Amino acid sequence: MTTHIDAGPRSSIALTGTEFAELDRLIFEDDDWWAMPSADQAALRHRFITAAVAHHLEHNADFRTFAESSGFTLADLGAPGSLVRVPQFPTRMFKRVEVRSVPAADCDVFKSSGTSGTQSMVWRDEPSLERLAGSLRPEGDIWRTLYGDVDLDDDGQMVHLGPNRREADGVWISYIMTLVEMFAATRSYVADGVLRLRDVVRDLEGALADGKFVCVAGPPVFMAELLRHMSDNSIKLSAGDRMAVITGGGWKKNESTKLDPDRLRSLAMDTFGLASAQQVRDVFNQVELNTAFIECEHHRKHVPPWVEVIVRDPRDLSPVPAGQVGLMSYLDPTARSYPCFLLAEDFGSAETDNCPCGRAGTTVHIDRRMRTSSHHGCALRLAETVRTD
């Protein structure tokens, strides 16, 4: 089902209740976000983000002070192109102060797993968490190109290479990956700090023998460990089109220890016996961002229509042309509990209407982390604390 949402202009920017109701309808009811023309997506973003800015200006003293010191007022957001003027917190702000727009009692705290003393702490209330989960909804068109007409509730099995939500202890990548439970029955394979690879292989073989569609999900570093374990033990599967592989989290600490996505896809195809490289997908998120970007069958990460991506020149923070590498920044209206207007620590690029899959809107490529950053990201730090068996 695709819900049509009017992207036309409104006479007032103060109707935050109306705007957020429409945002929720888009997130939870529309099954093909990228069928909407990019110009309509831009108009929606302007309305939703303007409403979110108004909300956080009213309820978040830190953001209000930051905006005032920047000379910014809500009146600056008169047209879609003006979103570039929204003040954006550097993500390291979340390592230093408590950034909240709602009472702490209404929130759960989620953290990154950076080096000692550099954890980001992000406060999320229930509406913010529900919208984050909504950005991963399995009903979406981009997922159906992965598992086709399979009824995952009845015929699917999720294999999660990570801890369950209880053992994750608020670590963001672990929480994100447990959201695969929305797809089908799920088992997590990290317990007591051990990734149980032999159990993973046993259950993969059993689920495929039972005719299940199997989805293996986890951080790239754990996926690589599984593939290495299978290679070392001369184990190969013949999954054909009955398996999907989903990764999420950091790919590298530095140039000498990076994992190559093309190589991982190739290894997964060979080891699992997949029919196509299109069965291997990556999902991008970071603890401060409240929306997930899902990779399509051409391995390009698609930005849902409510998020504005601005790639900036690191020297003066001016926007760079489409396709040019710069510092990534995001305006995400889905977080009610904190201003999700972020200047990130990643370099990358963004383009519009340039994906072979034909979906409209923005795609991003994340190139590398800032060299001055000591923050390795949740997935890579998780790998440092988990043993394999």
Side-chain angles (χ1 to χ4, degrees):
M1 175 181 132
T2 299
T3 301
H4 174 72
I5 296 186
D6 179 16
R10 291 292 183 92
S11 59
S12 171
I13 58 176
L15 300 175
T16 56
T18 299
E19 307 301 337
F20 288 148
E22 293 195 19
L23 173 60
D24 287 341
R25 195 157 65 248
L26 174 65
I27 294 172
F28 298 113
E29 298 181 20
D30 193 334
D31 290 349
D32 190 3
W33 298 321
W34 299 284
M36 186 189 308
S38 57
D40 291 349
Q41 293 185 33
L44 279 176
R45 282 196 298 277
H46 179 253
R47 288 175 47 213
F48 295 154
I49 292 169
T50 298
V53 170
H55 165 78
H56 293 296
L57 284 173
E58 180 179 354
H59 296 285
N60 189 293
D62 289 326
F63 181 66
R64 186 166 58 250
T65 299
F66 183 39
E68 290 171 353
S69 68
S70 304
F72 171 85
T73 69
L74 201 60
D76 292 332
L77 302 183
S82 63
L83 290 178
V84 70
R85 303 185 65 180
V86 175
Q88 294 176 290
F89 281 146
T91 51
R92 62 183 54 226
M93 175 88 166
F94 293 85
K95 301 174 175 69
R96 298 173 178 170
V97 300
E98 206 172 274
V99 182
R100 281 189 294 103
S101 302
V102 301
D106 296 339
C107 298
D108 291 320
V109 180
F110 295 89
K111 57 181 180 287
S112 65
S113 296
T115 53
S116 178
T118 63
Q119 287 183 319
S120 286
M121 307 292 286
V122 180
W123 297 75
R124 285 182 167 90
D125 62 355
E126 186 173 352
S128 303
L129 283 169
E130 288 177 347
R131 290 167 183 161
L132 179 278
S135 72
L136 287 163
R137 277 196 313 128
E139 297 88 357
D141 167 78
I142 204 165
W143 287 122
R144 286 198 300 271
T145 62
L146 185 62
Y147 58 79
D149 295 328
V150 175
D151 186 338
L152 294 175
D153 286 335
D154 293 332
D155 301 319
Q157 176 65 47
M158 296 297 304
V159 172
H160 173 219
L161 306 180
N164 61 34
R165 202 168 301 178
R166 184 183 63 258
E167 291 195 28
D169 190 31
V171 175
W172 185 240
I173 187 60
S174 300
Y175 177 85
I176 285 288
M177 297 311 294
T178 61
L179 294 178
V180 299
E181 295 170 2
M182 296 188 300
F183 286 76
T186 301
R187 180 178 175 185
S188 297
Y189 288 83
V190 170
D192 301 321
V194 178
L195 173 57
R196 304 186 184 281
L197 296 174
R198 286 176 288 187
D199 291 353
V200 173
V201 174
R202 179 201 64 210
D203 290 351
L204 287 176
E205 292 174 331
L208 290 170
D210 290 341
K212 296 282 189 180
F213 183 95
V214 182
C215 181
V216 187
V221 284
F222 286 2
M223 200 68 68
E225 286 292 337
L226 173 60
L227 294 170
R228 186 178 300 114
H229 169 80
M230 294 176 69
S231 175
D232 290 346
N233 291 276
S234 301
I235 300 169
K236 285 193 175 184
L237 305 178
S238 299
D241 61 359
R242 300 292 294 176
M243 179 181 283
V245 178
I246 301 173
T247 56
W251 285 85
K252 52 192 171 183
K253 298 178 187 177
N254 53 55
E255 291 304 310
S256 65
T257 59
K258 68 180 178 181
L259 295 167
D260 180 73
D262 291 335
R263 175 64 176 157
L264 191 68
R265 282 195 292 269
S266 177
L267 287 172
M269 281 191 64
D270 180 61
T271 305
F272 295 139
L274 304 180
S276 168
Q278 295 184 1
Q279 293 166 244
V280 185
R281 308 283 183 89
D282 189 54
V283 176
F284 173 77
N285 184 258
Q286 61 187 74
V287 66
E288 302 89 358
L289 183 62
N290 205 55
T291 296
F293 303 166
I294 303 165
E295 203 170 72
C296 73
E297 57 269 32
H298 293 276
H299 306 295
R300 298 199 183 185
K301 293 177 175 64
H302 286 256
V303 180
W306 55 84
V307 177
E308 180 84 357
V309 176
I310 305 167
V311 184
R312 297 182 179 274
D313 188 318
R315 295 167 296 187
D316 60 7
L317 299 185
S318 62
V320 303
Q324 184 172 316
V325 173
L327 200 58
M328 303 299 292
S329 72
Y330 310 101
L331 303 174
D332 184 349
T334 64
R336 188 183 77 156
S337 51
Y338 70 99
C340 192
F341 312 132
L342 310 172
L343 183 65
E345 296 185 348
D346 294 312
F347 284 97
S349 59
E351 296 183 279
T352 301
D353 296 346
N354 193 33
C355 184
C357 75
R359 293 178 178 87
T362 302
T363 57
V364 297
H365 173 75
I366 308 301
D367 184 58
R368 66 186 187 277
R369 194 172 288 273
M370 286 176 62
R371 291 189 178 93
T372 57
S373 174
S374 62
H375 175 53
H376 292 162
C378 295
L380 295 170
R381 286 293 296 170
L382 183 63
E384 294 174 4
T385 62
V386 171
R387 295 175 289 112
T388 58
D389 177 30

